[in-house]
Amino acid sequence: YDRTRTFVQSNLSSTTAPHYACEAYKYSMDKLVHAAITLCADTLDMVVKLFPRGFDALPTDLFTRVLEQSSKSSQTKSTRIAEYCRKNSDDVDKELFERFCQGIDKVNPTYAILLLRQ
């Protein structure tokens, strides 16, 4: 257990955080979920570039937590929301979409039409 915990702590990075968040969530490992979600939120503008399946693999409630914790710009958030919704359209209803968009005051123009379709 200690070796595994040490490995995960040293291996947690912007590229591994989405995976660790998902796996820890399955097993109710709240401390690891929190650490991974915090890292995802801090690197919201980088994670998708580094780990293309980063956010679309997250369950909607974890993605919501990433958005809520992130201090990145509204345009960055709107980009990630659009990408997440495009890849997880069956899981995102109007209520959830509105929750994702709370606090968004500027939308990335590239994704505006996609967001309107949601």
Side-chain angles (χ1 to χ4, degrees):
Y1 175 82
D2 289 336
R3 283 185 184 180
T4 303
R5 188 183 69 199
T6 301
F7 171 78
V8 169
Q9 288 173 337
S10 67
N11 190 250
L12 185 60
S13 68
S14 57
T15 57
T16 60
H19 176 73
Y20 281 135
C22 288
E23 291 302 309
Y25 182 72
K26 288 179 193 175
Y27 301 104
S28 301
M29 301 172 81
D30 296 334
K31 288 182 181 180
L32 181 53
V33 170
H34 178 73
I37 292 298
T38 299
L39 187 54
C40 286
D42 291 345
T43 58
L44 187 65
D45 52 344
M46 295 173 41
V47 170
V48 173
K49 294 174 192 165
L50 297 171
F51 188 62
R53 286 218 13 104
F55 291 119
D56 47 308
L58 292 176
T60 55
D61 51 337
L62 291 184
F63 183 67
T64 302
R65 287 174 59 183
V66 169
L67 292 173
E68 290 171 349
Q69 289 186 29
S70 179
S71 61
K72 298 298 179 183
S73 73
S74 288
Q75 286 193 344
T76 297
K77 288 181 181 182
S78 70
T79 300
R80 297 300 168 248
I81 291 167
E83 291 169 348
Y84 187 88
C85 290
R86 181 177 52 215
K87 295 174 183 172
N88 296 282
S89 60
D90 292 341
D91 298 328
V92 180
D93 60 14
K94 183 180 177 185
E95 182 180 319
L96 183 59
F97 178 73
E98 288 176 357
R99 187 170 172 204
F100 285 170
C101 293
Q102 284 182 329
I104 302 289
D105 58 357
K106 285 188 178 181
V107 174
N108 181 330
T110 306
Y111 293 96
I113 299 298
L114 179 64
L115 289 168
L116 283 174
R117 289 179 45 207
Q118 200 59 36

